[in-house]
Amino acid sequence: MPIFGLFGILACSAFLIVRIATVYVSGRVHRVRASVELLAFLAIIYFLIGPVLNWLGDDDLAGALQRAVMSAAAVCIAFLLNGIIRTVLWDGLLSDHGQRQVPVIVTEGVGLAIYLTAIVLVMHFVYDEPIGGLLATSGVVALVLGFAAQSTLKEVFSGVALNATQALHIGDYVEIDGVYGQVYEINWRSISVKNPHTDSLYIFPNSGVADRTILNFSEPTERFKYYVRFIVELSAPPELVMRAIAHELEKSRYVRREPKPDFNMLGYTKEGIEIRIRYYFDGDDPWWDAQNEMIMAIWTAMRKHRLRISVNRHLLGSGDEWSELDQRQEVDFGVESVLGVLRRSKNFSGCSNKSLFELASTASVLSLNPPGRFFEPGAATDGLFLVLDGHVALYRKVPGRGDSEIKIEGCCAGDVFGLQSFIERTDRKLLAQAEQYSVVAHLSEDALRRLIDDHPELQAMLETDLSVRRAQREKDAEAAQRQFLATLYADERRKLSEDIRQNVDEMLERPALHHFLSLLSSKVRHEDVLTATMAGAAIVAACRGGSDQQEEAYLRRAMAEADLLRHMDLEHGLDLFRTYTSMDDVSAPDGEVFAMLDRASEMKGGPNIVQAVAVGMTGVHGEPTQKELQALRAISKRTGVEVPRWAREIKGQQDGE
């Protein structure tokens, strides 16, 4: 038996020498795995030393060697603990998307404290040395250092708490202590927030953020919600006010129609009834456009129904503002003004002055702010509309897209709209909406028919004008359809990224034992998903040739925004992406690169991550090409994830061409 013990000691020693030599030559060491290996071998040596030395007849040396092995084991445990802290804390929770942010003085200071503690424990429990004086001295030193570095430690631990709860991510739009902006940087000491409207940077200490209320506009979705408050006079029926504003917002362009805005009556004030409208919009970019649209919708609704926003007009001695506006409009856009525009119109310029004067005299003048409508699809035809000032847009519904519309024509001062339903005597097929504050003359049906009876050539001129405009509309509609699908495509990419970001931890979660065992391996965490993700990106990129900087920049941004860098090694992934893109069979469904996609199917959520990154890759250089969409369909088929609807629509449109 002792001979086997001696053999075991020699084998373990030889293995350790080989491992140390390998690490020295390669220059790489996996700290956690090396610690566990060393502990295992030291334990074997410890239990074999006694029997071997007894067999050799040197019992006195056994105790000394066992104490030495125990000392080495204690240091090894300290090394293991420090390695776990590095992996989980410094390179994990406190890292900024894979880049360590905690300064060296903190990381090395924690490591030094762990090793000193191990040495003190060895001196006391292994060698029975009195350490009271040493503990007292080290306690004083620790107290002095802790007091001197308390502000730094406070920021570090606050950073740990913020990163552990995932309250903020880089790119989130937040409001902290009344300051709005986008999270620009998160490091060991502070959080930087950039205000996109003032182009300024605000820096908050981690501890200051941790104990304040954070309003995160980007969670749980990228859809923003804000509000407008105003007070109406007591004479304004509140229900009518809310219903009128809701009607004006039915065809809004920036304020989301679904979910619909919320109306809340907050109570009575000394000026009147206070109302709050909470509304949704898509992200930070349309913030001011949505707010402008909401305020203009309120103004238009109040004017249409002659309701008043409370501004203490009685105390100020002001009159009826709507009557004053009507009087100014009558002066600026009266009969003479309408007559002048008719005379300059290419359609009506050939008619007699008497006939045009009669038409202008019967016209009614309408003025609207965006998103006010002059008519909607399905409305009965009631004549023509002549733009006196501003700009009016005509919209057509997108088939199969509910209330979504595309702009097919714009009308400026002097243009007539409503021709198609007037000539064909059918209900309105288009939506006419103010793009600017627009003043329009409504030419009545009866007056127009009488004018055509007096001037039969007018009918032919109107039909010719409609024919020319129809041809142009189809061209504009085709471009607008492309733009609509591109917007839909961008929104789909955003939603996919958002969904991955919200569920990435759940998708990639593993049992605790599996997670611990992964620390013992030099294999990159979630290698299978990373490999499949980069293979999918390479398949799409290969449709445009080799990889380029723009595509790699997208991968960096997409993985950071989706929080994938907490689970995957980006640089390793980019190396895989470059390798796969340059392979000859990258586009072959039966090739090696496509086979890599199968590796994601074994992990929950893996195929969804692969699909999301591939979808984003199709739009890196603009509108997806037919080859890219074909590649995306092949990837979807291989991963078992349904092809997005927008991809099918774009491909169908391209095939139709």
Side-chain angles (χ1 to χ4, degrees), residues 477-504:
E478 183 179 335
Q481 181 80 6
R482 285 185 175 277
Q483 181 62 39
F484 175 80
L485 290 176
T487 303
L488 191 67
Y489 159 72
D491 188 55
E492 187 71 22
R493 289 176 66 195
R494 178 183 60 80
K495 288 179 180 178
L496 281 171
S497 177
E498 178 183 298
D499 184 62
I500 294 297
R501 171 174 159 175
Q502 291 178 9
N503 300 287
V504 64

PDB file of all heavy atoms in Angstrom, residues 477-504:
ATOM      1  N   ALA A 477     -47.150  56.309 -54.483  1.00  0.00           N
ATOM      2  CA  ALA A 477     -47.642  55.254 -53.597  1.00  0.00           C
ATOM      3  C   ALA A 477     -46.647  54.109 -53.509  1.00  0.00           C
ATOM      4  O   ALA A 477     -46.455  53.513 -52.444  1.00  0.00           O
ATOM      5  CB  ALA A 477     -48.995  54.742 -54.093  1.00  0.00           C
ATOM      6  N   GLU A 478     -45.994  53.791 -54.630  1.00  0.00           N
ATOM      7  CA  GLU A 478     -44.999  52.716 -54.624  1.00  0.00           C
ATOM      8  C   GLU A 478     -43.827  53.071 -53.720  1.00  0.00           C
ATOM      9  O   GLU A 478     -43.362  52.249 -52.921  1.00  0.00           O
ATOM     10  CB  GLU A 478     -44.509  52.473 -56.053  1.00  0.00           C
ATOM     11  CG  GLU A 478     -43.525  51.315 -56.168  1.00  0.00           C
ATOM     12  CD  GLU A 478     -43.091  51.088 -57.603  1.00  0.00           C
ATOM     13  OE1 GLU A 478     -43.849  51.465 -58.521  1.00  0.00           O
ATOM     14  OE2 GLU A 478     -41.994  50.541 -57.789  1.00  0.00           O
ATOM     15  N   ALA A 479     -43.360  54.327 -53.832  1.00  0.00           N
ATOM     16  CA  ALA A 479     -42.262  54.768 -52.966  1.00  0.00           C
ATOM     17  C   ALA A 479     -42.703  54.809 -51.505  1.00  0.00           C
ATOM     18  O   ALA A 479     -41.951  54.424 -50.599  1.00  0.00           O
ATOM     19  CB  ALA A 479     -41.770  56.143 -53.411  1.00  0.00           C
ATOM     20  N   ALA A 480     -43.937  55.274 -51.276  1.00  0.00           N
ATOM     21  CA  ALA A 480     -44.446  55.340 -49.905  1.00  0.00           C
ATOM     22  C   ALA A 480     -44.623  53.953 -49.307  1.00  0.00           C
ATOM     23  O   ALA A 480     -44.396  53.738 -48.115  1.00  0.00           O
ATOM     24  CB  ALA A 480     -45.779  56.094 -49.882  1.00  0.00           C
ATOM     25  N   GLN A 481     -45.023  52.985 -50.154  1.00  0.00           N
ATOM     26  CA  GLN A 481     -45.180  51.610 -49.686  1.00  0.00           C
ATOM     27  C   GLN A 481     -43.826  51.044 -49.243  1.00  0.00           C
ATOM     28  O   GLN A 481     -43.738  50.372 -48.223  1.00  0.00           O
ATOM     29  CB  GLN A 481     -45.768  50.751 -50.801  1.00  0.00           C
ATOM     30  CG  GLN A 481     -46.002  49.294 -50.429  1.00  0.00           C
ATOM     31  CD  GLN A 481     -47.282  49.099 -49.641  1.00  0.00           C
ATOM     32  OE1 GLN A 481     -48.062  50.037 -49.454  1.00  0.00           O
ATOM     33  NE2 GLN A 481     -47.496  47.894 -49.159  1.00  0.00           N
ATOM     34  N   ARG A 482     -42.801  51.359 -50.015  1.00  0.00           N
ATOM     35  CA  ARG A 482     -41.457  50.911 -49.642  1.00  0.00           C
ATOM     36  C   ARG A 482     -41.040  51.538 -48.309  1.00  0.00           C
ATOM     37  O   ARG A 482     -40.464  50.883 -47.443  1.00  0.00           O
ATOM     38  CB  ARG A 482     -40.453  51.287 -50.724  1.00  0.00           C
ATOM     39  CG  ARG A 482     -40.525  50.428 -51.969  1.00  0.00           C
ATOM     40  CD  ARG A 482     -39.406  50.803 -52.936  1.00  0.00           C
ATOM     41  NE  ARG A 482     -39.366  49.927 -54.079  1.00  0.00           N
ATOM     42  CZ  ARG A 482     -38.777  48.746 -54.113  1.00  0.00           C
ATOM     43  NH1 ARG A 482     -38.182  48.297 -53.019  1.00  0.00           N
ATOM     44  NH2 ARG A 482     -38.781  48.005 -55.200  1.00  0.00           N
ATOM     45  N   GLN A 483     -41.306  52.823 -48.185  1.00  0.00           N
ATOM     46  CA  GLN A 483     -40.948  53.506 -46.952  1.00  0.00           C
ATOM     47  C   GLN A 483     -41.722  52.940 -45.768  1.00  0.00           C
ATOM     48  O   GLN A 483     -41.174  52.780 -44.668  1.00  0.00           O
ATOM     49  CB  GLN A 483     -41.225  55.012 -47.094  1.00  0.00           C
ATOM     50  CG  GLN A 483     -40.855  55.830 -45.866  1.00  0.00           C
ATOM     51  CD  GLN A 483     -39.383  55.763 -45.541  1.00  0.00           C
ATOM     52  OE1 GLN A 483     -38.546  55.763 -46.435  1.00  0.00           O
ATOM     53  NE2 GLN A 483     -39.046  55.693 -44.260  1.00  0.00           N
ATOM     54  N   PHE A 484     -42.992  52.639 -46.001  1.00  0.00           N
ATOM     55  CA  PHE A 484     -43.814  52.058 -44.935  1.00  0.00           C
ATOM     56  C   PHE A 484     -43.254  50.712 -44.488  1.00  0.00           C
ATOM     57  O   PHE A 484     -43.138  50.429 -43.290  1.00  0.00           O
ATOM     58  CB  PHE A 484     -45.255  51.891 -45.433  1.00  0.00           C
ATOM     59  CG  PHE A 484     -46.160  51.183 -44.457  1.00  0.00           C
ATOM     60  CD1 PHE A 484     -46.711  51.865 -43.387  1.00  0.00           C
ATOM     61  CD2 PHE A 484     -46.444  49.829 -44.609  1.00  0.00           C
ATOM     62  CE1 PHE A 484     -47.539  51.212 -42.485  1.00  0.00           C
ATOM     63  CE2 PHE A 484     -47.266  49.176 -43.721  1.00  0.00           C
ATOM     64  CZ  PHE A 484     -47.817  49.870 -42.653  1.00  0.00           C
ATOM     65  N   LEU A 485     -42.891  49.863 -45.454  1.00  0.00           N
ATOM     66  CA  LEU A 485     -42.333  48.559 -45.109  1.00  0.00           C
ATOM     67  C   LEU A 485     -40.971  48.701 -44.432  1.00  0.00           C
ATOM     68  O   LEU A 485     -40.631  47.924 -43.541  1.00  0.00           O
ATOM     69  CB  LEU A 485     -42.211  47.692 -46.361  1.00  0.00           C
ATOM     70  CG  LEU A 485     -43.539  47.217 -46.965  1.00  0.00           C
ATOM     71  CD1 LEU A 485     -43.283  46.454 -48.258  1.00  0.00           C
ATOM     72  CD2 LEU A 485     -44.307  46.350 -45.978  1.00  0.00           C
ATOM     73  N   ALA A 486     -40.196  49.713 -44.873  1.00  0.00           N
ATOM     74  CA  ALA A 486     -38.905  49.942 -44.220  1.00  0.00           C
ATOM     75  C   ALA A 486     -39.099  50.366 -42.765  1.00  0.00           C
ATOM     76  O   ALA A 486     -38.372  49.924 -41.869  1.00  0.00           O
ATOM     77  CB  ALA A 486     -38.122  51.013 -44.982  1.00  0.00           C
ATOM     78  N   THR A 487     -40.094  51.224 -42.530  1.00  0.00           N
ATOM     79  CA  THR A 487     -40.397  51.628 -41.158  1.00  0.00           C
ATOM     80  C   THR A 487     -40.887  50.446 -40.341  1.00  0.00           C
ATOM     81  O   THR A 487     -40.511  50.262 -39.176  1.00  0.00           O
ATOM     82  CB  THR A 487     -41.465  52.740 -41.161  1.00  0.00           C
ATOM     83  OG1 THR A 487     -40.997  53.839 -41.939  1.00  0.00           O
ATOM     84  CG2 THR A 487     -41.769  53.212 -39.751  1.00  0.00           C
ATOM     85  N   LEU A 488     -41.727  49.642 -40.967  1.00  0.00           N
ATOM     86  CA  LEU A 488     -42.229  48.445 -40.303  1.00  0.00           C
ATOM     87  C   LEU A 488     -41.077  47.505 -39.977  1.00  0.00           C
ATOM     88  O   LEU A 488     -41.023  46.893 -38.902  1.00  0.00           O
ATOM     89  CB  LEU A 488     -43.237  47.747 -41.226  1.00  0.00           C
ATOM     90  CG  LEU A 488     -44.078  46.615 -40.632  1.00  0.00           C
ATOM     91  CD1 LEU A 488     -45.031  47.156 -39.598  1.00  0.00           C
ATOM     92  CD2 LEU A 488     -44.834  45.912 -41.737  1.00  0.00           C
ATOM     93  N   TYR A 489     -40.143  47.405 -40.916  1.00  0.00           N
ATOM     94  CA  TYR A 489     -38.979  46.553 -40.743  1.00  0.00           C
ATOM     95  C   TYR A 489     -38.106  47.044 -39.585  1.00  0.00           C
ATOM     96  O   TYR A 489     -37.667  46.259 -38.737  1.00  0.00           O
ATOM     97  CB  TYR A 489     -38.196  46.543 -42.049  1.00  0.00           C
ATOM     98  CG  TYR A 489     -36.755  46.136 -41.932  1.00  0.00           C
ATOM     99  CD1 TYR A 489     -36.415  44.817 -41.674  1.00  0.00           C
ATOM    100  CD2 TYR A 489     -35.745  47.068 -42.088  1.00  0.00           C
ATOM    101  CE1 TYR A 489     -35.091  44.443 -41.569  1.00  0.00           C
ATOM    102  CE2 TYR A 489     -34.421  46.704 -41.983  1.00  0.00           C
ATOM    103  CZ  TYR A 489     -34.102  45.391 -41.723  1.00  0.00           C
ATOM    104  OH  TYR A 489     -32.804  45.029 -41.614  1.00  0.00           O
ATOM    105  N   ALA A 490     -37.887  48.379 -39.525  1.00  0.00           N
ATOM    106  CA  ALA A 490     -37.089  48.939 -38.432  1.00  0.00           C
ATOM    107  C   ALA A 490     -37.773  48.718 -37.090  1.00  0.00           C
ATOM    108  O   ALA A 490     -37.122  48.420 -36.084  1.00  0.00           O
ATOM    109  CB  ALA A 490     -36.867  50.433 -38.680  1.00  0.00           C
ATOM    110  N   ASP A 491     -39.087  48.851 -37.082  1.00  0.00           N
ATOM    111  CA  ASP A 491     -39.834  48.625 -35.849  1.00  0.00           C
ATOM    112  C   ASP A 491     -39.749  47.163 -35.421  1.00  0.00           C
ATOM    113  O   ASP A 491     -39.637  46.852 -34.227  1.00  0.00           O
ATOM    114  CB  ASP A 491     -41.295  49.029 -36.062  1.00  0.00           C
ATOM    115  CG  ASP A 491     -42.101  49.012 -34.776  1.00  0.00           C
ATOM    116  OD1 ASP A 491     -41.692  49.688 -33.819  1.00  0.00           O
ATOM    117  OD2 ASP A 491     -43.137  48.316 -34.721  1.00  0.00           O
ATOM    118  N   GLU A 492     -39.778  46.258 -36.404  1.00  0.00           N
ATOM    119  CA  GLU A 492     -39.680  44.830 -36.093  1.00  0.00           C
ATOM    120  C   GLU A 492     -38.296  44.504 -35.533  1.00  0.00           C
ATOM    121  O   GLU A 492     -38.175  43.729 -34.577  1.00  0.00           O
ATOM    122  CB  GLU A 492     -39.926  44.009 -37.361  1.00  0.00           C
ATOM    123  CG  GLU A 492     -40.005  42.519 -37.133  1.00  0.00           C
ATOM    124  CD  GLU A 492     -41.262  42.098 -36.403  1.00  0.00           C
ATOM    125  OE1 GLU A 492     -42.250  42.855 -36.431  1.00  0.00           O
ATOM    126  OE2 GLU A 492     -41.248  41.017 -35.794  1.00  0.00           O
ATOM    127  N   ARG A 493     -37.267  45.101 -36.112  1.00  0.00           N
ATOM    128  CA  ARG A 493     -35.919  44.896 -35.579  1.00  0.00           C
ATOM    129  C   ARG A 493     -35.841  45.377 -34.134  1.00  0.00           C
ATOM    130  O   ARG A 493     -35.237  44.726 -33.279  1.00  0.00           O
ATOM    131  CB  ARG A 493     -34.900  45.667 -36.419  1.00  0.00           C
ATOM    132  CG  ARG A 493     -34.665  45.107 -37.806  1.00  0.00           C
ATOM    133  CD  ARG A 493     -33.719  45.999 -38.579  1.00  0.00           C
ATOM    134  NE  ARG A 493     -32.393  46.012 -38.000  1.00  0.00           N
ATOM    135  CZ  ARG A 493     -31.461  46.927 -38.300  1.00  0.00           C
ATOM    136  NH1 ARG A 493     -31.744  47.889 -39.162  1.00  0.00           N
ATOM    137  NH2 ARG A 493     -30.272  46.877 -37.754  1.00  0.00           N
ATOM    138  N   ARG A 494     -36.431  46.544 -33.874  1.00  0.00           N
ATOM    139  CA  ARG A 494     -36.398  47.098 -32.519  1.00  0.00           C
ATOM    140  C   ARG A 494     -37.130  46.197 -31.541  1.00  0.00           C
ATOM    141  O   ARG A 494     -36.664  45.941 -30.427  1.00  0.00           O
ATOM    142  CB  ARG A 494     -37.031  48.498 -32.523  1.00  0.00           C
ATOM    143  CG  ARG A 494     -37.093  49.151 -31.162  1.00  0.00           C
ATOM    144  CD  ARG A 494     -37.792  50.488 -31.241  1.00  0.00           C
ATOM    145  NE  ARG A 494     -39.150  50.370 -31.733  1.00  0.00           N
ATOM    146  CZ  ARG A 494     -40.173  49.999 -30.982  1.00  0.00           C
ATOM    147  NH1 ARG A 494     -39.997  49.669 -29.726  1.00  0.00           N
ATOM    148  NH2 ARG A 494     -41.393  49.924 -31.501  1.00  0.00           N
ATOM    149  N   LYS A 495     -38.277  45.675 -31.962  1.00  0.00           N
ATOM    150  CA  LYS A 495     -39.049  44.809 -31.081  1.00  0.00           C
ATOM    151  C   LYS A 495     -38.312  43.502 -30.796  1.00  0.00           C
ATOM    152  O   LYS A 495     -38.344  42.991 -29.669  1.00  0.00           O
ATOM    153  CB  LYS A 495     -40.420  44.511 -31.710  1.00  0.00           C
ATOM    154  CG  LYS A 495     -41.372  45.692 -31.700  1.00  0.00           C
ATOM    155  CD  LYS A 495     -42.697  45.332 -32.350  1.00  0.00           C
ATOM    156  CE  LYS A 495     -43.654  46.512 -32.335  1.00  0.00           C
ATOM    157  NZ  LYS A 495     -44.935  46.183 -33.023  1.00  0.00           N
ATOM    158  N   LEU A 496     -37.668  42.943 -31.830  1.00  0.00           N
ATOM    159  CA  LEU A 496     -36.910  41.714 -31.616  1.00  0.00           C
ATOM    160  C   LEU A 496     -35.771  41.944 -30.629  1.00  0.00           C
ATOM    161  O   LEU A 496     -35.554  41.152 -29.709  1.00  0.00           O
ATOM    162  CB  LEU A 496     -36.349  41.210 -32.952  1.00  0.00           C
ATOM    163  CG  LEU A 496     -37.327  40.467 -33.863  1.00  0.00           C
ATOM    164  CD1 LEU A 496     -36.700  40.235 -35.229  1.00  0.00           C
ATOM    165  CD2 LEU A 496     -37.741  39.140 -33.254  1.00  0.00           C
ATOM    166  N   SER A 497     -35.043  43.047 -30.808  1.00  0.00           N
ATOM    167  CA  SER A 497     -33.951  43.370 -29.897  1.00  0.00           C
ATOM    168  C   SER A 497     -34.466  43.597 -28.494  1.00  0.00           C
ATOM    169  O   SER A 497     -33.865  43.159 -27.512  1.00  0.00           O
ATOM    170  CB  SER A 497     -33.211  44.611 -30.403  1.00  0.00           C
ATOM    171  OG  SER A 497     -32.194  44.989 -29.515  1.00  0.00           O
ATOM    172  N   GLU A 498     -35.608  44.276 -28.397  1.00  0.00           N
ATOM    173  CA  GLU A 498     -36.224  44.541 -27.097  1.00  0.00           C
ATOM    174  C   GLU A 498     -36.646  43.251 -26.414  1.00  0.00           C
ATOM    175  O   GLU A 498     -36.430  43.055 -25.208  1.00  0.00           O
ATOM    176  CB  GLU A 498     -37.430  45.458 -27.312  1.00  0.00           C
ATOM    177  CG  GLU A 498     -38.217  45.794 -26.074  1.00  0.00           C
ATOM    178  CD  GLU A 498     -39.423  46.638 -26.438  1.00  0.00           C
ATOM    179  OE1 GLU A 498     -39.220  47.756 -26.960  1.00  0.00           O
ATOM    180  OE2 GLU A 498     -40.565  46.185 -26.222  1.00  0.00           O
ATOM    181  N   ASP A 499     -37.222  42.343 -27.173  1.00  0.00           N
ATOM    182  CA  ASP A 499     -37.669  41.071 -26.607  1.00  0.00           C
ATOM    183  C   ASP A 499     -36.480  40.243 -26.124  1.00  0.00           C
ATOM    184  O   ASP A 499     -36.534  39.636 -25.049  1.00  0.00           O
ATOM    185  CB  ASP A 499     -38.463  40.293 -27.655  1.00  0.00           C
ATOM    186  CG  ASP A 499     -39.045  39.005 -27.093  1.00  0.00           C
ATOM    187  OD1 ASP A 499     -39.865  39.078 -26.172  1.00  0.00           O
ATOM    188  OD2 ASP A 499     -38.668  37.923 -27.581  1.00  0.00           O
ATOM    189  N   ILE A 500     -35.402  40.222 -26.910  1.00  0.00           N
ATOM    190  CA  ILE A 500     -34.208  39.489 -26.496  1.00  0.00           C
ATOM    191  C   ILE A 500     -33.639  40.098 -25.223  1.00  0.00           C
ATOM    192  O   ILE A 500     -33.270  39.400 -24.285  1.00  0.00           O
ATOM    193  CB  ILE A 500     -33.151  39.511 -27.618  1.00  0.00           C
ATOM    194  CG1 ILE A 500     -33.654  38.721 -28.833  1.00  0.00           C
ATOM    195  CG2 ILE A 500     -31.836  38.926 -27.133  1.00  0.00           C
ATOM    196  CD1 ILE A 500     -33.890  37.256 -28.561  1.00  0.00           C
ATOM    197  N   ARG A 501     -33.590  41.417 -25.195  1.00  0.00           N
ATOM    198  CA  ARG A 501     -33.009  42.098 -24.028  1.00  0.00           C
ATOM    199  C   ARG A 501     -33.793  41.819 -22.757  1.00  0.00           C
ATOM    200  O   ARG A 501     -33.224  41.623 -21.686  1.00  0.00           O
ATOM    201  CB  ARG A 501     -32.970  43.595 -24.307  1.00  0.00           C
ATOM    202  CG  ARG A 501     -32.582  44.435 -23.104  1.00  0.00           C
ATOM    203  CD  ARG A 501     -32.434  45.864 -23.535  1.00  0.00           C
ATOM    204  NE  ARG A 501     -32.559  46.763 -22.426  1.00  0.00           N
ATOM    205  CZ  ARG A 501     -32.374  48.067 -22.518  1.00  0.00           C
ATOM    206  NH1 ARG A 501     -32.051  48.594 -23.663  1.00  0.00           N
ATOM    207  NH2 ARG A 501     -32.504  48.845 -21.473  1.00  0.00           N
ATOM    208  N   GLN A 502     -35.111  41.805 -22.863  1.00  0.00           N
ATOM    209  CA  GLN A 502     -35.940  41.590 -21.689  1.00  0.00           C
ATOM    210  C   GLN A 502     -35.898  40.150 -21.201  1.00  0.00           C
ATOM    211  O   GLN A 502     -36.111  39.890 -20.015  1.00  0.00           O
ATOM    212  CB  GLN A 502     -37.391  41.982 -21.994  1.00  0.00           C
ATOM    213  CG  GLN A 502     -37.597  43.469 -22.191  1.00  0.00           C
ATOM    214  CD  GLN A 502     -39.035  43.797 -22.540  1.00  0.00           C
ATOM    215  OE1 GLN A 502     -39.905  42.939 -22.481  1.00  0.00           O
ATOM    216  NE2 GLN A 502     -39.287  45.042 -22.880  1.00  0.00           N
ATOM    217  N   ASN A 503     -35.607  39.219 -22.098  1.00  0.00           N
ATOM    218  CA  ASN A 503     -35.696  37.811 -21.732  1.00  0.00           C
ATOM    219  C   ASN A 503     -34.375  37.059 -21.841  1.00  0.00           C
ATOM    220  O   ASN A 503     -34.357  35.844 -21.730  1.00  0.00           O
ATOM    221  CB  ASN A 503     -36.738  37.119 -22.629  1.00  0.00           C
ATOM    222  CG  ASN A 503     -38.113  37.733 -22.486  1.00  0.00           C
ATOM    223  OD1 ASN A 503     -38.797  37.546 -21.492  1.00  0.00           O
ATOM    224  ND2 ASN A 503     -38.526  38.491 -23.479  1.00  0.00           N
ATOM    225  N   VAL A 504     -33.275  37.804 -22.049  1.00  0.00           N
ATOM    226  CA  VAL A 504     -32.011  37.122 -22.294  1.00  0.00           C
ATOM    227  C   VAL A 504     -31.573  36.297 -21.092  1.00  0.00           C
ATOM    228  O   VAL A 504     -31.075  35.176 -21.240  1.00  0.00           O
ATOM    229  CB  VAL A 504     -30.925  38.140 -22.702  1.00  0.00           C
ATOM    230  CG1 VAL A 504     -30.633  39.118 -21.583  1.00  0.00           C
ATOM    231  CG2 VAL A 504     -29.656  37.415 -23.116  1.00  0.00           C
TER     232      VAL A 504
END
